[in-house]
Amino acid sequence: MDYLLLCVLGLLGSYGLNILYVSVFYHRALTHRAVTIQPWLRKIVLETGNWVTGIDPKGWVCMHRLHHKYSDTNRDPHSPLTSGIWRVLPMQLHSYKRALRGLVVGDRKYTSMVPDLDFPVSWLNRRKVWYLPYVLHAFLAICVGVFFQAWLLAACYWLGMMSHPVQGWMVNALSHRYGYRNFATDDHSKNNLMVAWLVFGEGFQNNHHHNPTAANFAVKWWEIDLGYALTWTLIRLGLLQRASVAGFPKIGSWQ
Ligand SMILES: [Zn+2]
Ligand SMILES: [Zn+2]
């Protein structure tokens, strides 16, 4: 296979794997319960999630529910309205760290956001070795470079695996600042087509804030949510199930 094509596939594969975990498993399934994950797969997702993405599933869900609860107010964990678009990058990182610490020490402000999650914060964060997944991916990339003399492929793999802060920034900053609105929600969420294409439907923030429990973030016929295409495929394969929100007790404004 042509080496450059292999590099592109390496980038798309690692980028897509990141989005699969964060957008489908963490966001649509664990946070909003738009779909449920088959129990055996859920165990695998919870065991591997922090290693694959570098991000703790419980910490991410907690921060994201706070975002829905306080969207674009002073208590929003990340909003370009209160900080400007560039500051959203450090803001989302600090908010994530605060959520993790709050969950570990049992702070009600954070634990009350995730009463339905029956699993603890990953041991990587409990034991303050959060950096190990990053070391692992750097090590794997260096191995690809050294043993196969394929440094471009190694860089593509590494960039795809480390892309989440940039994906998050595009969604949290750009899709709450630039775009159009289909719904008059209380926040400043927008639908940003560029972000929606790049981050598999997550750019349709206005649609999503209007109806957080919908598995499909697209509403108009010309809006395409690739994350929902992934979700739909996993439903067809029997790995996910459509959830009936009516069956869940209402526990917050993310429902
Ligand atoms: Zn939002
Ligand atoms: Zn959400």
Side-chain angles (χ1 to χ4, degrees), residues 8-240:
V8 171
L9 290 178
L11 179 64
L12 292 180
S14 52
Y15 185 81
L17 184 65
N18 227 277
I19 290 189
L20 170 70
Y21 266 81
V22 177
S23 179
V24 178
F25 296 144
Y26 288 13
H27 192 194
R28 299 174 208 235
L30 294 177
T31 302
H32 297 295
R33 306 194 290 191
V35 287
T36 52
I37 310 171
Q38 286 294 357
W40 64 267
L41 178 59
R42 189 175 186 269
K43 274 198 191 110
I44 293 174
V45 168
L46 297 181
E47 287 295 329
T48 60
N50 208 148
W51 284 101
V52 172
T53 65
I55 297 165
D56 185 278
K58 196 166 189 173
W60 193 93
V61 170
C62 180
M63 179 179 73
H64 188 65
R65 286 179 175 174
L66 283 166
H67 166 62
H68 276 268
K69 188 172 182 182
Y70 300 116
S71 197
D72 292 322
T73 69
N74 285 334
R75 300 175 76 181
D76 189 337
H78 43 67
S79 171
L81 274 300
T82 56
S83 70
I85 59 168
W86 297 110
R87 281 207 58 220
V88 168
L89 198 56
M91 205 178 177
Q92 60 190 17
L93 176 63
H94 291 137
S95 297
Y96 166 72
K97 277 165 44 185
R98 267 199 300 275
L100 272 181
R101 198 165 43 238
L103 289 171
V104 169
V105 301
D107 183 339
R108 277 284 300 161
K109 177 184 168 189
Y110 299 99
T111 56
S112 64
M113 299 304 296
V114 286
D116 56 316
L117 297 190
D118 56 351
F119 54 89
V121 164
S122 162
W123 67 269
L124 290 165
N125 293 303
R126 293 200 308 272
R127 296 186 192 169
K128 298 184 178 159
V129 286
W130 57 268
Y131 50 83
L132 287 183
Y134 299 91
V135 173
L136 173 71
H137 291 301
F139 176 72
L140 290 176
I142 289 168
C143 285
V144 169
V146 169
F147 293 119
F148 300 102
Q149 285 301 300
W151 287 101
L152 183 60
L153 179 62
C156 287
Y157 163 79
W158 190 81
L159 286 173
M161 294 308 296
M162 297 293 111
S163 59
H164 184 67
V166 181
Q167 292 171 28
W169 174 78
M170 286 194 283
V171 174
N172 299 330
L174 301 183
S175 300
H176 273 256
R177 197 79 174 80
Y178 308 111
Y180 63 92
R181 284 162 68 84
N182 289 329
F183 303 100
T185 53
D186 291 337
D187 48 51
H188 288 76
S189 57
K190 306 283 195 302
N191 295 319
N192 184 304
L193 287 176
M194 181 193 77
V195 179
W197 277 106
L198 289 175
V199 198
F200 286 38
E202 294 283 344
F204 295 125
Q205 282 291 292
N206 179 244
N207 295 347
H208 175 56
H209 277 265
H210 173 70
N211 187 6
T213 54
N216 186 356
F217 296 171
V219 172
K220 309 271 189 193
W221 67 267
W222 45 268
E223 294 173 342
I224 293 170
D225 175 359
L226 292 175
Y228 179 63
L230 263 180
T231 306
W232 183 88
T233 305
L234 295 181
I235 291 171
R236 284 296 163 123
L237 291 172
L239 302 177
L240 299 177

